């Protein structure tokens, strides 16, 4: 499908003056799924999980991508936003969590990302290339061998929660990027690997659980089974 302008998961007011917290009010959650598995999906404007203007979403907002980056086309200045249109880093209009999910998606998301606090990656290889606002994201979930590659984005894992599912083989290269995009991986608040809680070992310089470790090597964050490949 082709969408020339903005796409909203919530309410759209004919006039921005009506897009206020009281006039545009959703008591539940919003969900948008973009499936680029079989046909090209083109979005010329922004993809907004919430409402236009300052509309309120009491529940959570959710955007899910499926398919391939080759069949997903955004405008040059498109933003994928987890909040409502007029939200800023300091002012938001969503009461619940703001979730961005890549479900079996492989390829490049050629748009900026802003306004999310949780990202899920499952069974795919995702590349983020455009400058994005990832400082608000505090929860990162990876499963089924998913990988993430950072391009020209700003990111900091300090205080975040990182969860890695079970994996085949002895190790799993999960996140790749420059030192700046992998910053403070060792200052995360919580790390779990295959359901096991990990703690940071100052002497070893990486996170360990009963059977696994989470570490940085060659501009990548990896998890491995203890006693196996480094």
């Amino acid at each position: 499908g082709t969408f020339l302008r903005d796409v909203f998961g919530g309410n759209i007011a004919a006039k921005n003056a009506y897009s206020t917290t009281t006039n545009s009010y959703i008591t539940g959650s919003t969900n948008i799924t973009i499936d680029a598995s079989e046909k090209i999906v083109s979005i010329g404007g922004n993809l907004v999980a919430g409402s236009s203007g300052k509309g309120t979403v009491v529940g959570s907002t959710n955007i899910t991508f499926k398919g391939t980056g080759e069949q997903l086309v955004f405008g040059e200045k498109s933003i994928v936003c987890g909040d409502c249109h007029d939200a800023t880093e300091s002012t938001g209009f969503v009461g619940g969590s703001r979730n961005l999910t890549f479900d079996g998606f492989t390829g490049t998301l050629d748009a900026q990302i802003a306004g999310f606090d949780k990202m899920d990656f499952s069974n795919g290889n995702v590349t983020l290339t455009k400058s994005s606002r990832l400082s608000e994201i505090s929860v990162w979930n990876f499963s089924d061998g998913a990988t993430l590659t950072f391009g020209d984005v700003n990111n900091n894992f300090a205080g975040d929660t990182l969860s890695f599912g079970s994996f085949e083989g002895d190790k799993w290269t999960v996140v790749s990027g420059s030192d700046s995009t992998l910053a403070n991986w060792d200052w995360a608040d919580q790390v779990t690997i295959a359901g096991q809680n990990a703690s940071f070992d100052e002497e070893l310089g990486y996170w360990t659980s009963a059977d696994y470790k989470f570490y940085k090597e060659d501009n990548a964050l990896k998890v491995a089974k203890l006693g196996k490949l480094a």
Side-chain angles (χ1 to χ4, degrees):
T2 299
F3 304 88
L4 300 178
R5 299 184 179 181
D6 294 345
V7 176
F8 295 93
N11 290 329
I12 305 175
K15 295 182 179 180
N16 196 56
Y18 297 151
S19 295
T20 65
T21 55
T22 54
N23 290 337
S24 178
Y25 195 87
I26 294 178
T27 58
S29 299
T30 67
N31 296 276
I32 299 176
T33 297
I34 303 297
D35 191 341
S37 299
E38 298 181 0
K39 295 183 179 181
I40 294 176
V41 178
S42 178
I43 300 174
N46 301 316
L47 180 61
V48 182
S51 298
S52 63
K54 297 179 175 64
T56 296
V57 177
V58 176
S60 300
T61 56
N62 305 275
I63 292 180
T64 299
F65 288 103
K66 298 182 178 183
T68 68
E70 293 180 351
Q71 298 199 123
L72 180 60
V73 181
F74 281 99
E76 183 178 350
K77 298 182 179 180
S78 292
I79 299 174
V80 178
C81 176
D83 211 305
C84 293
H85 189 274
D86 287 0
T88 64
E89 285 189 77
S90 58
T91 303
F93 305 99
V94 177
S97 59
R98 293 161 281 133
N99 310 302
L100 178 59
T101 300
F102 295 90
D103 182 7
F105 180 89
T106 290
T108 299
L109 181 73
D110 194 22
Q112 297 181 55
I113 295 174
F116 293 94
D117 59 15
K118 178 173 173 284
M119 293 183 74
D120 293 280
F121 302 86
S122 175
N123 191 31
N125 305 301
V126 179
T127 299
L128 303 179
T129 58
K130 288 200 171 180
S131 178
S132 297
R133 199 174 80 213
L134 303 181
S135 60
E136 298 171 65
I137 299 174
S138 59
V139 178
W140 306 77
N141 296 321
F142 298 88
S143 61
D144 298 322
T147 66
L148 169 63
T149 300
F150 284 126
D152 183 24
V153 300
N154 295 317
N155 181 55
N156 193 320
F157 287 112
D160 292 353
T161 296
L162 292 88
S163 176
F164 309 97
S166 57
F167 56 97
E168 297 181 357
D170 295 326
K171 70 176 180 180
W172 172 16
T173 300
V174 188
V175 184
S176 301
S178 64
D179 286 340
S180 61
T181 58
L182 305 179
N184 291 323
W185 66 278
D186 49 341
W187 284 92
D189 181 62
Q190 183 177 353
V191 173
T192 59
I193 308 169
Q196 298 180 4
N197 292 326
S199 58
F200 191 77
D201 190 309
E202 294 286 351
E203 293 186 6
L204 295 174
Y206 52 76
W207 295 79
T208 62
S209 68
D211 301 307
Y212 303 94
K213 66 178 180 180
F214 170 50
Y215 61 105
K216 181 182 176 184
E217 180 184 63
D218 300 330
N219 289 327
L221 301 181
K222 307 177 182 181
V223 292
K225 297 175 181 177
L226 289 177
K228 301 295 183 179
L229 295 175

